[in-house]
Amino acid sequence: MSKFSSVIWPKVVLFGDSITQFSFQTNGWGAETANKLARKCDVVNRGLSGYNSRWAKIILPRLISSQNPAENHIAAITVFFGANDASLEDKNPQQHVPLNEYSENLKEISKFLSSAGVSADKVIFITPPPIHEPAWEKECILKGCPLNRHNSVTGQYAQACVQAAGQCGSEVLDLWTLMQKDGQDYTVYLSDGLHLSEKGNQFVAQHLWSILESRVAHLPFILPYWGDVDAKSPESSLLCDA
């Protein structure tokens, strides 16, 4: 068989906490994004349930290499932390990260990504969504602990994320603000007061795509359409670089 080059499959990386980890479930925002990008790039789920920005900053170099940036082939990456960082320090010290540190962690993540060949325009920060305290308090009580998050505090972290994104030169999807815009009932977007419902997943998928689409629009359809394959000489169609 003649020599041929490997197919390069670009990547969109989803980096975040449980809201990202669970995004590949049925009707999840990650699954929806992957479906739209089939045959154009791989959508890689790097969601880590329970993680905060402090831990994310530490493990990111284990997920993306800065040694050979050209080999990463990352078309875009979402950075979606804050829901755990915003935990109340006195109620949940394990996950809590102070506001100033959270902001600095996001900037450090951006700085590392740049060193790995992922420029700021390819990074999309996502703020935590709002918290519905009555629903989340029920979940906390079931686990034997008091309410450990407040919507107003999460809003401060969302604002810090927006500011950090601006300082890094990256775009941001401000879920905390958008989901509460014009006094709408944001509780329909949440399944338990913290995580996303089906409507919440649809909301994220729709708004993320409006940002992501321009970053992947240039990506070609990978490998020939089946109807274009030369049936008599498939190698001539399937092993060419065009």
Side-chain angles (χ1 to χ4, degrees):
M1 185 177 289
S2 59
K3 291 183 178 180
F4 55 89
S5 59
S6 298
V7 176
I8 295 174
W9 222 283
K11 291 180 286 191
V12 169
V13 180
L14 310 182
F15 184 43
D17 53 33
S18 60
I19 302 176
T20 296
Q21 180 177 320
F22 302 150
S23 72
F24 271 34
Q25 294 179 344
T26 304
N27 298 317
W29 63 270
E32 176 69 19
T33 302
N35 184 52
K36 286 183 175 180
L37 291 172
R39 288 282 291 277
K40 288 199 166 189
C41 67
D42 285 335
V43 176
V44 182
N45 188 330
R46 292 295 178 263
L48 301 157
S49 179
Y51 275 51
N52 56 34
S53 65
R54 180 186 296 159
W55 303 343
K57 180 184 70 172
I58 294 170
I59 55 95
L60 183 56
R62 300 186 67 187
L63 306 180
I64 297 173
S65 173
S66 60
Q67 299 304 310
N68 298 293
E71 296 180 6
N72 286 323
H73 304 297
I74 295 175
I77 181 169
T78 58
V79 178
F80 193 173
F81 291 95
N84 297 316
D85 300 69
S87 296
L88 303 177
E89 184 175 13
D90 60 333
K91 301 294 194 302
N92 186 3
Q94 171 79 358
Q95 292 177 300
H96 170 79
V97 172
L99 187 61
N100 288 339
E101 183 192 338
Y102 168 69
S103 179
E104 291 305 311
N105 288 340
L106 295 183
K107 295 173 192 175
E108 286 294 319
I109 288 171
S110 176
K111 186 177 179 181
F112 173 80
L113 289 171
S114 179
S115 75
V118 186
S119 55
D121 62 301
K122 294 180 179 180
V123 180
I124 302 169
F125 286 97
I126 306 178
T127 76
I131 299 288
H132 182 229
E133 292 171 25
W136 184 243
E137 185 172 26
K138 290 179 181 178
E139 295 294 320
C140 291
I141 291 171
L142 287 174
K143 296 174 184 177
C145 61
L147 178 66
N148 56 21
R149 289 167 173 81
H150 290 161
N151 191 39
S152 60
V153 174
T154 299
Q156 295 173 13
Y157 283 73
Q159 185 178 14
C161 179
V162 171
Q163 292 173 347
Q167 291 168 357
C168 293
S170 296
E171 197 143 359
V172 62
L173 173 53
D174 184 358
L175 293 180
W176 192 87
T177 298
L178 286 173
M179 286 182 168
Q180 299 179 92
K181 190 175 181 182
D182 300 325
Q184 64 181 301
D185 179 16
Y186 69 89
T187 65
V188 300
Y189 299 129
L190 304 171
S191 63
D192 57 5
L194 172 65
H195 301 96
L196 300 175
S197 64
E198 186 170 333
K199 281 191 175 182
N201 274 281
Q202 292 172 354
F203 186 95
V204 174
Q206 175 188 345
H207 285 84
L208 175 60
W209 184 248
S210 68
I211 300 173
L212 182 60
E213 186 175 15
S214 63
R215 288 156 176 77
V216 296
H218 67 285
L219 297 176
F221 196 65
I222 297 174
L223 294 174
Y225 172 65
W226 71 268
D228 294 334
V229 175
D230 185 339
K232 294 181 179 179
S233 177
E235 291 85 357
S236 64
S237 303
L238 300 175
L239 298 182
C240 65
D241 292 331

